[in-house]
Amino acid sequence: MRTWAEKRKSGLLCCLLSPLVLAGCSPKAGGATYEVLYPSGHTRSCHVFSDQFAIEGSSYQLQGERADDYKKTFRYNLQILDESGVVAAEYPNIGSDIMCGVLQEDGKLWVGAEYWTSPHYRGYLEGWLEKTGLFLIDLRDGGILFQGEAEENELYLTSDGTRCYFYSPGSEAAERLFGLVEVPARNAEIHYRDSDDWTEKRVLYTFDYTEAPDIDTSGGVETRVRFYISEGQFRVAWTSYEPVGGEKWEYLEKKAYEIPITGNDG
């Protein structure tokens, strides 16, 4: 016979699992995948399985090394690797198993340590980004100049000076507390945060949709949002993986936005 504690634990587990089962593979729980493409050709997506991550604008790479107490804390050490793959610098307990980096012209490095909970995907699935730690590191002396954190589902794209740019997906209107509280719909957006005032979110562009643009992707098996990073602008394209004849499949672009990046005053 199970003890009261065992029954209580089982009941709590069922309560925790029920929302996940209901969410399942629902597109509203994160049906679109992300792909971030940089001028150098580096790409971030759920199909990148390397344990080492390119630093845009540099031949160095990032790596997350499990901390000595990983089995207790699940923490990673952030490592910066030189061109030969040798550890040039290491920072305890602030890394993750999925990271990205952007080197600035002044030798300062922005690092994003991402924490994804997406099932069956190695990150980059809409709706499954728990948080991202952002760090500004001076490569000349190894000092950490800034440390901040992005919110849930706030996808880090790139940095320019003291600014970090993000994409946040929209959300449909909802009710909470049995209808007593109404949460309004929120459109998807591109915004940035400045290390000089990190808590202030400044919207750069608001899309004309909440969770997805009004386009037909019914013939595809995957909807992918592509973020093309270039100097002076973002290009955000919604694509659908569809048959194009015979046995050939391609990502067909359905809708795209070109968004100018304003100059950095910081």
Side-chain angles (χ1 to χ4, degrees):
M1 181 178 293
R2 293 188 301 171
T3 65
W4 177 86
E6 289 174 334
K7 291 179 180 179
R8 183 173 182 271
K9 185 176 181 181
S10 177
L12 287 173
L13 181 61
C14 290
C15 291
L16 291 172
L17 289 178
S18 294
L20 297 178
V21 173
L22 291 173
C25 298
S26 168
K28 293 183 180 180
T33 62
Y34 293 143
E35 185 176 30
V36 184
L37 303 99
Y38 294 95
S40 66
H42 294 152
T43 301
R44 293 160 52 199
S45 76
C46 60
H47 301 291
V48 176
F49 296 102
S50 174
D51 293 328
Q52 296 179 356
F53 306 93
I55 296 175
E56 181 66 12
S58 169
S59 57
Y60 281 32
Q61 296 188 88
L62 299 170
Q63 179 174 271
E65 179 72 15
R66 289 185 176 184
D68 292 338
D69 59 351
Y70 173 80
K71 291 184 178 180
K72 292 183 178 179
T73 64
F74 301 104
R75 291 179 176 175
Y76 286 81
N77 297 334
L78 165 62
Q79 294 182 339
I80 300 176
L81 310 180
D82 65 16
E83 298 94 332
S84 303
V86 176
V87 178
E90 183 171 19
Y91 302 86
N93 301 323
I94 65 171
S96 71
D97 60 341
I98 300 178
M99 294 189 290
C100 56
V102 179
L103 182 64
Q104 308 292 285
E105 293 182 354
D106 57 3
K108 297 174 183 177
L109 170 65
W110 277 104
V111 175
E114 301 174 339
Y115 298 85
W116 295 88
T117 60
S118 46
H120 313 303
Y121 281 84
R122 194 169 189 260
Y124 298 95
L125 181 65
E126 183 174 290
W128 296 94
L129 178 57
E130 182 179 5
K131 64 179 180 179
T132 302
L134 274 300
F135 308 93
L136 182 60
I137 299 173
D138 192 336
L139 292 184
R140 294 169 296 187
D141 58 15
I144 297 180
L145 304 176
F146 172 81
Q147 181 172 341
E149 189 173 293
E151 297 177 354
E152 183 180 14
N153 293 320
E154 195 174 16
L155 177 68
Y156 172 63
L157 298 175
T158 191
S159 295
D160 179 18
T162 59
R163 293 181 181 178
C164 291
Y165 292 87
F166 302 89
Y167 169 80
S168 288
S171 59
E172 295 180 341
E175 294 183 349
R176 300 287 187 270
L177 299 176
F178 305 101
L180 296 177
V181 177
E182 294 186 359
V183 180
R186 178 173 52 84
N187 282 23
E189 65 182 28
I190 298 284
H191 61 265
Y192 69 87
R193 297 181 185 273
D194 197 300
S195 60
D196 293 334
D197 186 10
W198 191 254
T199 59
E200 183 71 21
K201 183 176 71 173
R202 297 173 174 85
V203 177
L204 181 65
Y205 186 87
T206 301
F207 294 90
D208 55 352
Y209 60 90
T210 53
E211 292 199 2
D214 185 17
I215 56 177
D216 181 15
T217 58
S218 58
V221 296
E222 179 191 343
T223 299
R224 180 176 296 184
V225 189
R226 284 177 164 165
F227 301 90
Y228 297 89
I229 313 297
S230 62
E231 185 176 355
Q233 80 165 20
F234 295 119
R235 188 173 188 275
V236 184
W238 280 76
T239 66
S240 180
Y241 193 56
E242 301 180 5
V244 293
E247 298 182 356
K248 189 176 182 181
W249 288 65
E250 292 181 1
Y251 284 96
L252 302 181
E253 192 169 293
K254 298 292 186 173
K255 194 168 187 178
Y257 306 80
E258 293 186 355
I259 304 164
I261 303 175
T262 56
N264 192 335
D265 299 327

